[in-house]
Amino acid sequence: MSQHRVFFMVPPKVQLLDMTGPAHIFYEANDYGVHIPAHYLSLGTSIEEISGAGVLLGNLEPFHTYELGPNDFLFIPGLESDLIKKNDFIQSIEPFFEWLRKQHANGAKICSVCTGAYLVAFANLFNERECTTHWRYLEDFQTKFPKTKVLSDRLIVKDGNLYSSAGVSSGIDLAMFVLEELFGPVVVTKIAKEVVIYLRRTESDPQLSVFLQYRNHIDTRIHQVQDMLAQNLSTKSTIEEVAESVFMSSRNLTRLFKKTTGITIGEYVEKLRVERAIQMLTSGLKVSAVASACGLQSPNQLRSLLKKHTTSLPSDWHE
């Protein structure tokens, strides 16, 4: 099987965390058997660039010295907005746009972080494609590139071999997302623990964890139910007891919960249990204790639940 490679574009006035965050994730992955060579590219022929924060970055290679393919990932971080607005700058890097279109056609995975999405859009790669960028630039981006399908309140968007992330630290999440696609959730969770990321965020939700997902609504009663379920996972409450706590019938609660959150109460509880179980397992707790804390009758139930949602077993999450 061909070797994966990751490339980091380093434009002038690059936003440091947009680039160094993902780069560090791939660096840490080496300790977990994930060996992906990293290369740092300039937009022209220079071997140095100065970041937006004034840090000099060296040992860069000209982008045109590489030909990318389906096993390669190219991260394009954000840069200072004043450059994006300069027509002469955009015109000066047209050779890069031509090269980028070719690498995309070759099947390379193009990953933009924050305002790096502008460079992908200037190459016309986001036309008729879904993408996202930093929340502050969503309106400007959509106006400047009307053929794109800009999604708001999304941390990561994947459309074919184009990936985009919302901004700054979300580049870290994008790197984790890419690594999970390649190597699965167990490896990624271990990397997240190593770099002290509480829990990585997912493609479909902008929030940090399931304890914060499905909360983008204003129904106080459903919020109360979600709080109750999260805080009492070890206690098996009936739907009638839960409904009574918010002065509703079980039938009305079941209907309103699904309408408000998009998932059933049972599905929500399962997601809570999976996340709580993974947190506890990665802390080294015994499987039997984890199963009990998650309101499950036996370790076998925990194994079945994890296999269903993550295709993993409890032993996979222990160091």
Side-chain angles (χ1 to χ4, degrees), residues 173-185:
D173 297 280
L174 180 54
M176 302 288 270
F177 180 78
V178 164
L179 286 173
E180 181 172 330
E181 284 193 324
L182 295 176
F183 304 104

Side-chain angles (χ1 to χ4, degrees), residues 38-59:
H39 303 271
Y40 299 86
L41 309 179
S42 67
L43 274 178
T45 58
S46 173
I47 61 170
E48 294 181 343
E49 285 292 356
I50 298 179
S51 73
V55 176
L56 180 65
L57 302 168
N59 294 324

Side-chain angles (χ1 to χ4, degrees), residues 140-207:
D140 176 72
F141 191 91
Q142 185 67 84
T143 301
K144 193 179 296 299
F145 308 106
K147 293 183 179 180
T148 62
K149 301 175 182 178
V150 186
L151 303 183
S152 61
D153 197 29
R154 286 283 296 276
L155 186 79
I156 298 168
V157 174
K158 177 185 177 182
D159 192 331
N161 59 337
L162 294 174
Y163 301 67
S164 54
S165 58
V168 196
S169 64
S170 69
I172 294 174
D173 297 280
L174 180 54
M176 302 288 270
F177 180 78
V178 164
L179 286 173
E180 181 172 330
E181 284 193 324
L182 295 176
F183 304 104
V186 175
V187 169
V188 168
T189 298
K190 291 179 178 179
I191 297 171
K193 184 177 180 181
E194 179 67 27
V195 297
V196 200
I197 298 174
Y198 169 58
L199 273 175
R200 59 170 292 278
R201 292 168 280 185
T202 66
E203 175 193 13
S204 61
D205 196 281
Q207 303 296 346

Side-chain angles (χ1 to χ4, degrees), residues 205 210 212-219 221-223 225-226 229 253-269 271:
D205 196 281
V210 70
L212 298 178
Q213 290 179 16
Y214 311 105
R215 302 298 292 254
N216 189 25
H217 60 82
I218 58 174
D219 194 304
R221 293 169 299 177
I222 301 303
H223 280 304
V225 168
Q226 289 173 300
L229 294 173
L253 174 60
T254 300
R255 177 189 57 79
L256 184 60
F257 192 97
K258 176 66 180 294
K259 178 181 179 182
T260 304
T261 66
I263 62 174
T264 67
I265 293 176
E267 290 169 335
Y268 186 70
V269 171
K271 289 177 180 291

